[in-house]
Amino acid sequence: MVNSVSIDNDLNDLLLNSDMPLGIGTWQAGKNQWVGIDDASIDQALDLAFRHGVRLFDTAPDYGNGYSECVLGRAILRWDSDVCVVSKLSPFRLGYSEVVASSEASLRRLKRDYLDALLIHWPSGAFGSDVVPISDTMRALTE
């Protein structure tokens, strides 16, 4: 459980009065490879971050097989506020049709009609993935 009293007292001025954009990653929200994490704790942590000025959220389809994106999508609907969402492409999904399908699936999970940024998480060929010409990936990203 997140101790919001401690965070409220120690970081409130820093977070709310900073000119630096604040962001948070959501790998743990996918719950894959992590123990002792439940949805209530994830929701509490995301809500706390939002309440303290975090407006950039980093996620990826690989985080819990898309679960992180689902959790973040629900949180964004709760907040009913504009936030910046960054997602990523897996090195196993860098071909033209795979980029399109992965992006559309991310948008569905996030309950959004656009992403603020879409990053190539790991380069083509990483982790034994197929080597895909960057032109294929870029064509999908720019069309």
Side-chain angles (χ1 to χ4, degrees), residues 39-60:
D39 286 353
S41 295
I42 296 167
D43 289 344
Q44 184 182 22
L46 289 172
D47 289 344
L48 183 65
F50 180 80
R51 202 167 57 245
H52 285 281
V54 172
R55 294 297 182 271
L56 185 147
F57 295 87
D58 173 276
T59 190

Side-chain angles (χ1 to χ4, degrees), residues 4-76:
S4 63
V5 172
S6 163
I7 291 176
D8 285 341
N9 292 336
D10 298 339
L11 298 178
N12 194 49
D13 286 339
L14 174 67
L15 296 176
L16 293 178
N17 298 317
S18 174
D19 290 332
M20 181 184 308
L22 301 171
I24 189 171
T26 60
W27 181 27
Q28 293 86 350
K31 300 197 300 190
N32 191 5
Q33 302 174 333
W34 298 91
V35 295
I37 297 177
D38 58 43
D39 286 353
S41 295
I42 296 167
D43 289 344
Q44 184 182 22
L46 289 172
D47 289 344
L48 183 65
F50 180 80
R51 202 167 57 245
H52 285 281
V54 172
R55 294 297 182 271
L56 185 147
F57 295 87
D58 173 276
T59 190
D62 288 345
Y63 300 167
N65 296 316
Y67 192 72
S68 172
E69 291 178 327
C70 292
V71 170
L72 181 57
R74 290 194 309 261
I76 292 168

